[in-house]
Amino acid sequence: MSLQQFPCIGFIGAGNMATALVGGLRAQGWPAKQLWLSDRSEEQLSAHSAHGLRTTTDNAELLEKADVVVLAVKPQVMAAVLKPLAKQMQARRPLIISIAAGIPIDALSRWLGAASVSDALPIVRAMPNTPSLVQAGATGLFASAAVNADGKNLVERVMGAVGLTLWVEQEDLIDAVTAVSGSGPAYFFHVMEAMIAAGVKLGLDEQDARALTLQTALGAAQMAITSDVGPAELRKRVTSPGGTTERALRVFNESDLIHIFETALKACANRGTELALELGAAD
Ligand SMILES: NC(=O)c1ccc[n+]([C@@H]2O[C@H](COP(=O)([O-])OP(=O)(O)OC[C@H]3O[C@@H](n4cnc5c(N)ncnc54)[C@H](OP(=O)(O)O)[C@@H]3O)[C@@H](O)[C@H]2O)c1
């Protein structure tokens, strides 16, 4: 792998996530000519080439140029995309980042033609989330044994272009990351929906209930991120004994909200484990 300051990064699949990542990398000054995208549709690529990025409909051409290959196609097509590239991948041995949900490293490795541990390519499995699309993502990362410290630093630069990055030490913890941050935006959206609906029932018009809810979510997140104390202490500080907030929190406690979240996140992580078995089963 080239040790130059801006190694060439190639994205296989030029959809939502690849677009978000190249946007983040460009915003950080990554040169356009060091960013390649491949996709099966010219249409998907035209906006990128108009911005000076290198594009191709031939994944093998991208692989010829890239020091880092980001696998950004849907999980269901991954085996079909990788198998024709196996020989070339083994010859070039780029650093590989898979952002596909649910596909274990051993399946990627197998599809890329590794017959033994010594053939194993440096692969990082990344679990980003949808706020990456607005450069406020959170990405969990797990590295295979073949990834060295320079490789890890480079992965942090790539995935860090769209938000926070965090390494886990065991691959199965990616299912926990999925349960917390991967699927997490949907839980917060659901809470927002519930608060907007409740505000409307209390007499606010929907637009006002929505504006108040969304700004409150943003404000609470900003406070929690910038504060020296944790969320539990922040909650206590806005909960006066005998006051309004305490009355609302009592209702949540009576419904055992903490247990509901624990059960929901366990269900999510279990589904992640099941999907990894299903998606990784192809030869
Ligand atoms: N979106 C998220 O927030 C998010 C979060 C976590 C993880 N991920 C993961 O990120 C990956 C990409 O997601 P996405 O939302 O960016 O998907 P997407 O918008 O559908 O992008 C995937 C792109 O790959 C193209 N493609 C399909 N087959 C190809 C091939 N053989 N060679 C090259 N390109 C090919 C697709 O073209 P067609 O449309 O013609 O099929 C599409 O343009 C997925 O594996 C997903 O699990 C996404």
Side-chain angles (χ1 to χ4, degrees):
M1 191 179 71
S2 161
L3 291 176
Q4 60 182 301
Q5 193 189 358
F6 294 108
C8 183
I9 307 175
F11 294 84
I12 298 185
N16 296 313
M17 280 305 288
T19 301
L21 282 161
V22 294
L25 288 162
R26 289 291 293 130
Q28 293 193 354
W30 211 282
K33 66 178 180 48
Q34 291 296 84
L35 296 170
W36 275 82
L37 293 114
S38 67
D39 202 283
R40 58 184 175 182
S41 105
E42 290 273 10
E43 203 186 329
Q44 194 76 359
L45 295 169
S46 56
H48 295 294
S49 26
H51 285 102
L53 306 181
R54 308 292 177 89
T55 61
T56 175
T57 51
D58 178 5
N59 293 335
E61 184 188 3
L62 172 140
L63 189 47
E64 210 42 60
K65 317 283 179 191
D67 303 303
V68 182
V69 175
V70 181
L71 305 175
V73 294
K74 292 282 188 211
Q76 294 76 3
V77 301
M78 189 65 84
V81 169
L82 294 188
K83 285 181 194 174
L85 301 173
K87 205 169 159 206
Q88 198 187 353
M89 283 276 195
Q90 290 294 339
R92 288 219 70 225
R93 306 187 72 78
L95 174 63
I96 297 164
I97 305 173
S98 167
I99 62 168
I103 303 188
I105 285 181
D106 73 341
L108 296 167
S109 213
R110 202 167 65 244
W111 299 335
L112 289 171
S116 67
V117 175
S118 58
D119 293 341
L121 296 166
I123 303 179
V124 169
R125 191 172 154 194
M127 181 66 217
N129 63 6
T130 47
S132 302
L133 305 177
V134 292
Q135 296 181 19
T139 300
L141 299 166
F142 173 77
S144 70
V147 181
N148 63 20
D150 285 347
K152 281 183 154 188
N153 285 337
L154 190 45
V155 172
E156 286 171 21
R157 285 173 71 199
V158 176
M159 298 311 295
V162 290
L164 173 148
T165 58
L166 183 145
W167 291 97
V168 293
E169 294 300 323
Q170 293 155 239
E171 187 170 2
D172 60 3
L173 285 175
I174 288 287
D175 291 332
V177 170
T178 303
V180 175
S181 56
S183 299
Y187 318 152
F188 285 104
F189 296 142
H190 199 39
V191 169
M192 289 175 198
E193 284 176 77
M195 284 180 61
I196 294 166
V200 169
K201 287 221 165 121
L202 285 167
L204 293 171
D205 72 39
E206 193 179 340
Q207 224 180 343
D208 290 350
R210 183 185 150 100
L212 291 170
T213 298
L214 303 194
Q215 180 62 26
T216 302
L218 177 68
Q222 274 180 353
M223 270 185 82
I225 285 171
T226 55
S227 174
D228 293 338
V229 298
E233 178 57 26
L234 291 174
R235 171 180 52 77
K236 282 182 201 145
R237 287 182 190 176
V238 292
T239 312
S240 321
T244 54
T245 309
E246 185 189 59
R247 198 62 71 84
L249 290 172
R250 191 188 300 166
V251 176
F252 290 141
N253 286 338
E254 283 165 5
S255 304
D256 206 356
L257 190 64
I258 300 270
H259 181 68
I260 292 173
F261 267 86
E262 189 185 316
T263 309
L265 267 67
K266 268 189 191 157
C268 182
N270 289 342
R271 182 62 186 140
T273 309
E274 280 172 21
L275 280 174
L277 288 172
E278 286 167 27
L279 292 166
D283 287 336

